[in-house]
Amino acid sequence: MSAQDALAAVPGIPRDCGEPVFAEPWEARAFALAVHLNERGVFTWDEWAEAFGANLKANTRAGEPNSYYEVWWHTLEEIGEQHALASVQERARRSAQWQAAAARTPHGEPIELDRA
């Protein structure tokens, strides 16, 4: 399924003139990752829409503490765990690696993870 199919299948994606709008580069990458995982057969858009919709509703009930794409990312994490792409422990380990790399990287420089 293409990005255009994703746009049709998942209502509510922020748009301008029919095209998705991203406030930050990571939002575009999160969108592209969902499209890629769908294309690889990890999940269907029906599965995505059900999980994402439930997470959006929970976010609304909580007073919307998270942005649209933060909920999108959370849904990616959940589906990734359900399909054994990454465990909670693996995500926590990688998150800690990214945080450490960001802390040691001068502002404006690309963040690089240790290859160890």
Side-chain angles (χ1 to χ4, degrees), residues 59-113:
N59 190 53
T60 299
R61 283 192 303 270
E64 297 188 344
N66 298 305
S67 72
Y68 184 88
Y69 282 106
E70 287 170 331
V71 176
W72 186 279
W73 185 256
H74 176 71
T75 305
L76 276 172
E77 290 178 327
E78 283 183 353
I79 286 181
E81 188 176 324
Q82 290 168 2
H83 291 274
L85 297 178
S87 67
V88 171
Q89 295 81 10
E90 176 64 11
R91 286 190 294 125
R93 186 179 71 77
R94 296 298 280 176
S95 178
Q97 288 175 332
W98 274 104
Q99 289 174 19
R104 70 174 175 268
T105 302
H107 179 72
E109 296 293 318
I111 297 173
E112 295 183 19
L113 294 176

Side-chain angles (χ1 to χ4, degrees), residues 9-96:
V10 184
I13 292 175
R15 303 169 201 247
D16 183 21
C17 296
E19 296 298 317
V21 175
F22 307 105
E24 300 286 337
W26 73 265
E27 295 176 349
R29 289 190 291 273
F31 177 81
L33 180 57
V35 171
H36 175 74
L37 292 173
N38 169 263
E39 288 172 344
R40 301 276 306 213
V42 173
F43 59 81
T44 67
W45 281 120
D46 287 343
E47 179 183 2
W48 173 266
E50 183 177 332
F52 184 60
N55 286 335
L56 279 175
K57 286 179 186 174
N59 190 53
T60 299
R61 283 192 303 270
E64 297 188 344
N66 298 305
S67 72
Y68 184 88
Y69 282 106
E70 287 170 331
V71 176
W72 186 279
W73 185 256
H74 176 71
T75 305
L76 276 172
E77 290 178 327
E78 283 183 353
I79 286 181
E81 188 176 324
Q82 290 168 2
H83 291 274
L85 297 178
S87 67
V88 171
Q89 295 81 10
E90 176 64 11
R91 286 190 294 125
R93 186 179 71 77
R94 296 298 280 176
S95 178

